[in-house]
Amino acid sequence: MRKIEKADLRKISYQEFGDILDGLTKKVKESGIKFDLVVPILRSGGFTGLHIASQFGSTNILPVQYKYHYG
C-alpha cells in the first residue's frame, strides 16, 4: 500500500465533487448491486453515503465513526 503524500492531493470545487459522485453512483447502479444497508463513515464519507442511499431509495442507514489513538 502506497502512502498518500500532500503532493497527491488537490482541491476540487463542489461542482467537480458532485460530478464525481454522480459518476460513482451511475457505476454502482449499472453494476446491479442491491443494498440492504448503507454505512457511511462519518466526516468525509457522510455526504457520499447519504447521497448514494438517497439515489437508491434506501432508508436503512447506519453512520459509523472511525477513531484512532496515538501511543
Side-chain angles (χ1 to χ4, degrees), residues 67-71:
K67 289 187 176 186
Y68 57 92
H69 301 276
Y70 294 102

Side-chain angles (χ1 to χ4, degrees), residues 55-69:
Q55 293 298 308
F56 283 85
S58 176
T59 57
N60 296 323
I61 302 167
L62 177 65
V64 296
Q65 182 180 24
Y66 176 78
K67 289 187 176 186
Y68 57 92
H69 301 276

Side-chain angles (χ1 to χ4, degrees), residues 17 21 40-51 64-66:
F17 177 79
L21 189 53
I41 299 174
L42 296 179
R43 302 215 27 139
S44 59
F47 290 109
T48 306
L50 293 176
H51 173 81
V64 296
Q65 182 180 24
Y66 176 78

